[in-house]
Amino acid sequence: MSFRSRELLNKIVRKMGPDKLTPQGKETLKKCLPNSKVVMGRAKRGIFAGRHIQFGNKVSEDGGNKSRRTWKPNVQEKRLFSYIHDRHIRIKVTTHALRCIDKAGGIDEYLLKTPYHKMDSELGLMWKARIEKMYEALSNTEVAFFSPEEEAKLEEEFKELKIAKKEARREARRSMSASSSNKLKPITAGSSDHKQAGQVAAS
């Protein structure tokens, strides 16, 4: 068991309380925790899909001198749509994680299909547990189906509502055009009277 997994286990035990967690529950919890050794600090706040910082040497072309360097993953901040939440989730992901999410069919499917011990980030574990809980509550809800007669009746009501909306819009447009024409009439009348008065004065 890696140091990171041990720290996560101790953190969960402290939050739950040492008396509430049985030895069997502790063993099952160990299987669920990720067992990767090197994890970046910012990888805990996103979905990196196993991509972390890598270390190596930069070798010069002339003398072959080696100097230490690092390779960081390509991290992007994206808005991914979650169907179970019915909204977009803003999250930091790597390009490899984006390809995995596209292959799975969405962020919900990726989190459901990925096992707990392969989920490297605490944020991913939290979202996975939350989505599983929401899907379980959704599966327990009762679904009611309408008869064909009731469906036809609902369609007719929707059609009538659309027709009523169209009529209300037409009436609003007519009233607006009538009010605008009424406002323009005094101006035109005033201008014609002014022209007639000018003609009389000229004659």
Side-chain angles (χ1 to χ4, degrees):
M1 195 173 186
S2 64
F3 173 75
R4 176 171 170 264
S5 302
R6 213 164 40 244
E7 287 295 316
L8 275 173
L9 182 64
N10 294 333
K11 188 177 178 181
I12 293 168
V13 169
R14 282 197 300 271
K15 281 189 176 180
M16 291 182 64
D19 301 332
K20 295 182 181 179
L21 198 64
T22 60
Q24 294 178 354
K26 199 170 181 180
E27 288 297 323
T28 53
L29 189 62
K30 281 181 182 178
K31 293 177 183 178
C32 293
L33 291 174
N35 199 21
S36 55
K37 294 182 180 180
V38 179
V39 176
M40 300 169 63
R42 64 175 180 166
K44 300 175 185 178
R45 301 182 294 275
I47 296 176
F48 281 33
R51 293 294 187 266
H52 300 294
I53 191 167
Q54 294 180 350
F55 303 94
N57 294 322
K58 181 173 69 174
V59 183
S60 63
E61 293 181 0
D62 299 331
N65 300 321
K66 295 180 180 179
S67 55
R68 297 295 290 174
R69 62 155 294 178
T70 58
W71 287 269
K72 293 181 181 178
N74 187 4
V75 182
Q76 307 288 330
E77 188 173 358
K78 294 289 181 181
R79 288 171 70 249
L80 303 174
F81 187 77
S82 172
Y83 289 97
I84 189 66
H85 290 92
D86 196 20
R87 65 182 180 89
H88 284 88
I89 299 171
R90 189 177 291 277
I91 194 168
K92 290 183 178 180
V93 291
T94 58
T95 51
H96 174 67
L98 276 177
R99 289 194 296 272
C100 294
I101 289 167
D102 289 338
K103 188 177 179 180
I107 184 69
D108 298 339
E109 287 78 7
Y110 171 75
L111 291 171
L112 288 171
K113 289 177 183 177
T114 307
Y116 277 99
H117 66 275
K118 288 188 177 180
M119 193 69 66
D120 291 333
S121 62
E122 295 177 10
L123 185 70
L125 290 171
M126 183 192 71
W127 278 109
K128 180 177 173 64
R130 187 182 295 177
I131 287 174
E132 282 183 351
K133 190 176 180 181
M134 291 180 75
Y135 268 105
E136 186 179 356
L138 190 65
S139 63
N140 295 330
T141 56
E142 295 182 358
V143 181
F145 295 97
F146 295 103
S147 62
E149 294 82 8
E150 290 178 347
E151 285 183 0
K153 187 179 177 181
L154 285 171
E155 285 180 3
E156 288 294 328
E157 288 178 357
F158 276 119
K159 285 180 182 177
E160 290 175 1
L161 185 62
K162 284 182 180 179
I163 291 167
K165 280 184 178 179
K166 285 181 181 179
E167 289 295 330
R169 285 175 184 169
R170 284 176 187 171
E171 288 295 329
R173 286 172 187 166
R174 285 173 188 169
S175 61
M176 285 175 67
S177 61
S179 62
S180 62
S181 62
N182 290 332
K183 284 180 182 178
L184 291 172
K185 276 180 183 178
I187 298 169
T188 55
S191 61
S192 63
D193 292 342
H194 184 68
K195 284 180 182 178
Q196 288 177 2
Q199 288 174 3
V200 169
S203 62

